[in-house]
Amino acid sequence: MKKFVNLPQNYKLFLDEFKTILNKTLVEKILKNELAYNEILELHNYIDSIAEKYNCNSYDINKLINFYDKNNKLIDLLKKISSLRNKFIVVNSQKTDLWKNNINNLKKKFKKYSKIKIEEAFIQLLKKYKYDWNGLWTIFDIDKKGNIKNINIFDIDDLEFIESFITN
C-alpha cells in the first residue's frame, strides 16, 4: 500500500472525536505503558466504536497507523495503543497451554526444525503485526473480555514467513 498525506473527511472526523476522549493523564499512561490490559481493551473497543460512527473499520485505522505520511500525534497514540494491546496479547498468551500447543502444531508442520527455532520464527511473525490495529486476529482468537481462546496460524503467508525464517 502507498503512503498518503490527505486524510479523507471521515478519518478527520474520527480523529477529532478520538481527541475528545484524551486527557493529560490518559495520554501520559499510554506513553509510559502504564495502562493495564483491561484498560487497553476498553480503550481499544471504545476507539473501534468511534471509528464505526464515521464508517471506519480496523482496515482504515491500520491505514492511518501504517501509511499516513505526516506527523500526527493522534495517529502516534493510536499506534501506541495498538502496540500495547498486541504486546499484552502476546505476553498473556505465552503463559498459556495454547501457546505450547501452537508451537507443537507448528513443529508437526516443520518436523526437521527445533521447537526453539520455530518459536523464534513465530515471535518474529508476531512482531510483523505489532502495529496493526487488529493485526493478531488471524492468529489469536480472543473474546470480548480479552481472554485468549485459541492460537492458530492458518494464513498461508504467515506459514511461509515462518518457513522462510527457520530455513534461513
Side-chain angles (χ1 to χ4, degrees), residues 39-155:
E39 292 174 304
I40 281 288
L41 289 175
E42 285 177 29
L43 183 58
H44 187 275
N45 291 338
Y46 190 63
I47 293 167
D48 274 344
S49 68
I50 293 170
E52 284 177 28
K53 276 175 62 175
Y54 299 103
N55 294 321
C56 295
N57 56 33
S58 60
Y59 172 82
D60 296 307
I61 298 173
N62 277 336
K63 197 172 161 185
L64 278 170
I65 290 171
N66 295 303
F67 299 105
Y68 187 62
D69 206 21
K70 286 185 179 177
N71 288 334
N72 185 303
K73 300 267 188 228
L74 293 173
I75 294 172
D76 291 344
L77 285 171
L78 287 171
K79 190 173 191 173
K80 182 71 173 176
I81 292 164
S82 176
S83 173
L84 284 172
R85 178 179 176 266
N86 290 339
K87 179 181 172 186
F88 273 120
I89 290 169
V90 171
V91 168
N92 290 342
S93 72
Q94 287 176 311
K95 300 172 188 170
T96 68
D97 287 336
L98 296 170
W99 181 274
K100 293 176 196 125
N101 294 342
N102 177 60
I103 300 303
N104 289 334
N105 289 338
L106 289 170
K107 175 69 175 149
K108 290 174 189 171
K109 290 179 176 134
F110 304 107
K111 291 178 172 73
K112 57 184 179 175
Y113 300 98
S114 71
K115 285 185 183 179
I116 292 169
K117 186 74 171 169
I118 291 168
E119 187 170 27
E120 189 180 321
F122 181 59
I123 290 168
Q124 288 304 310
L125 173 67
L126 297 176
K127 287 179 180 179
K128 190 173 109 171
Y129 295 115
K130 180 179 179 178
Y131 295 115
D132 284 3
W133 189 251
N134 286 335
L136 301 174
W137 74 271
T138 62
I139 299 169
F140 293 89
D141 184 14
I142 300 168
D143 66 20
K144 294 277 186 198
K145 295 179 181 176
N147 299 313
I148 299 158
K149 298 179 355 185
N150 195 17
I151 304 171
N152 188 20
I153 298 177
F154 61 87
D155 185 281

Side-chain angles (χ1 to χ4, degrees), residues 154-166:
F154 61 87
D155 185 281
I156 192 73
D157 292 335
D158 291 344
L159 288 170
E160 287 174 357
F161 178 90
I162 287 178
E163 183 176 32
S164 172
F165 185 90
I166 60 179

